[in-house]
Amino acid sequence: MRCKKLSTYSFEIGAIRPPSEGGSYSLLIRATRNCPWNRCKFCYGMSYNHERFQLRTVEEIKKDIQAARAISDEIKNVSWQLGFSGQINRPVGAHIIQREPELRDSYSFFNVFDWLSFGGRTAFLQDADSLTMRTPDLIEVVKYLKETFPGLQRITSYARAKTIYHKKLDELKDIRGAGLNRLHVGLESGDDELLKHFDKGVTAEQHIIAGRKAREAGFEFSAYVMPGLGGRTKSEQHAKNTARVLNEINPHYIRLRPFIPRPNTPSFDEYQMGGFELTSPH
Ligand code: SF4
């Protein structure tokens, strides 16, 4: 059987994904580029640098999915040729890299290879807020992804609470029905003063409405909370109000991502100028 050159296929991969999607080696499909808000003071300039937000066309995204499929097919072919019956393991990877050393620099190849070796069951739509896409476009992408990879059991995405808040319940249900299972949402805090200070662009009440709406639509809801965001002086109100909002939403998952002022962000400048006193680890 003739081998296809894997280095002729590639697809776009964005900067970040949730840790849990790295743990399960999710296939990464970039539905949009960067963040449509890009103003949160602890994040601006870091997660997506200063890149402007861009929607991608459905055709563009489908081409990426086709490229991922072509890479996946050829990796499986090599496995069969080597006598591993489709199993994806180190000898298969080593053989491919020996055949095409240029693949050492290919994020696309390694993403598909790792994803297959982990069972090929989960996918994550990048970047920061896929729900900001037109609902029919997002549905088409999710359906096409499932058709192309019928073995997918979970498709997830980041979503801004404000976007969920503005989306109609029926639209959310349709997106869920198409096959998007889980939303990863940066709650950060349930305290209005802190949400405003860090320019999260959403209020505690909107967080609650968005979270409940997503759950009602059938999504698994994964909320990210940022311990330490209140600093020394507002730690207690941060904790109490965040607990209140979480109890109102009752998310499936609560993940903690402690606040650290990262260089190049407005929060770092504020910290350096003495405007923010970090909490101790305790
Ligand atoms: S919405 Fe998320 S990705 Fe966008 S600026 Fe805020 S924290 Fe960063």
Side-chain angles (χ1 to χ4, degrees), residues 35 37-40 42-43 48 128 160 188 200:
C35 173
W37 179 247
N38 207 19
R39 282 168 58 172
C40 304
F42 49 80
C43 174
Y48 301 101
R160 285 194 68 228
E188 327 303 2
K200 188 67 197 167

Side-chain angles (χ1 to χ4, degrees), residues 29-166:
I29 297 297
R30 199 174 198 189
T32 63
R33 296 188 185 101
N34 310 308
C35 173
W37 179 247
N38 207 19
R39 282 168 58 172
C40 304
K41 286 183 183 169
F42 49 80
C43 174
Y44 175 73
M46 183 187 68
S47 300
Y48 301 101
N49 296 316
H50 296 284
E51 303 289 335
R52 80 188 160 84
F53 174 73
Q54 288 178 301
L55 288 167
R56 302 184 73 204
T57 65
V58 171
E59 284 317 304
E60 211 179 337
I61 305 164
K62 281 184 174 178
K63 277 189 188 146
D64 275 4
I65 296 171
Q66 287 160 12
R69 174 63 197 252
I71 295 170
S72 163
D73 286 350
E74 181 53 17
I75 292 172
K76 287 181 187 168
N77 276 341
V78 171
S79 168
W80 282 100
Q81 284 163 14
L82 295 179
F84 290 113
S85 311
Q87 191 195 342
I88 311 305
N89 53 26
R90 286 174 73 89
V92 172
H95 179 88
I96 293 171
I97 293 291
Q98 198 177 26
R99 191 180 85 183
E100 293 183 63
E102 62 272 32
L103 285 173
R104 284 180 205 281
D105 298 325
S106 169
Y107 288 109
S108 309
F109 167 71
F110 280 109
N111 180 233
V112 176
F113 187 88
D114 288 343
W115 171 68
L116 285 176
S117 59
F118 209 76
R121 289 188 286 269
T122 63
F124 175 72
L125 298 183
Q126 297 177 302
D127 277 338
D129 188 12
S130 308
L131 290 197
T132 209
M133 289 170 70
R134 287 179 61 244
T135 298
D137 289 352
L138 180 54
I139 287 174
E140 196 175 337
V141 165
V142 173
K143 282 187 172 167
Y144 188 74
L145 184 57
K146 284 195 74 167
E147 280 162 25
T148 310
F149 297 109
L152 281 177
Q153 293 170 6
R154 190 185 85 202
I155 304 176
T156 68
S157 176
Y158 277 135
R160 285 194 68 228
K162 194 64 165 280
T163 308
I164 300 171
Y165 173 81
H166 283 304

Side-chain angles (χ1 to χ4, degrees), residues 169 207-217 221 247-249:
L169 179 61
H207 263 318
I208 293 169
I209 292 169
R212 285 182 165 177
K213 210 203 275 191
R215 291 208 51 182
E216 191 181 343
F221 196 86
N247 280 323
E248 294 279 352
I249 297 173

